Amino acid sequence: MRSDAEGLVMTATGSLVLPVARDRDLRLILEDYGLLEQFEAGEILCDHCGSQLSWDNLGAVVTSGEKLKLYCDLPDCIEQVSTKTD
Ligand SMILES: [Zn+2]
């Protein structure tokens, strides 16, 4: 896990854990980026594999400046998060 990724936040499936009990925080993050409605409508896709994301399969949320990248909980996609630095 690289530590230079900015604002890296992951859910319980990752090694940097945002406890599941804090899903509310994820919700706030999504809201902050104006993505909450889209997310809940199933319009947000995993940035790596393109799977439709939901609260059930959301594996990681990465804030990168103005952008928010979301990944599903597949090991491959979580791997992307830990290796991406841009
Ligand atoms: Zn994925």
Side-chain angles (χ1 to χ4, degrees):
M1 175 66 62
R2 314 243 334 196
S3 57
D4 53 354
E6 186 186 338
L8 184 63
V9 177
M10 294 174 77
T11 56
T13 49
S15 51
L16 262 182
V17 177
L18 181 68
V20 174
R22 297 181 62 200
D23 271 358
R24 202 153 44 101
D25 291 351
L26 283 173
R27 191 175 278 267
L28 287 177
I29 291 168
L30 289 175
E31 198 164 30
D32 218 40
Y33 280 81
L35 296 173
L36 186 60
E37 272 187 33
Q38 285 178 317
F39 181 82
E40 298 206 316
E43 291 170 4
I44 305 288
L45 307 178
C46 173
D47 198 71
H48 179 57
C49 73
S51 290
Q52 191 181 62
L53 292 171
S54 71
W55 292 114
D56 289 335
N57 72 349
L58 180 61
V61 176
V62 179
T63 58
S64 170
E66 304 268 294
K67 293 182 189 165
L68 188 66
K69 291 181 177 178
L70 294 104
Y71 298 87
C72 71
D73 58 3
L74 290 177
D76 271 6
C77 299
I78 298 291
E79 184 86 2
Q80 281 295 307
V81 178
S82 55
T83 54
K84 263 188 186 173
T85 56
D86 61 334

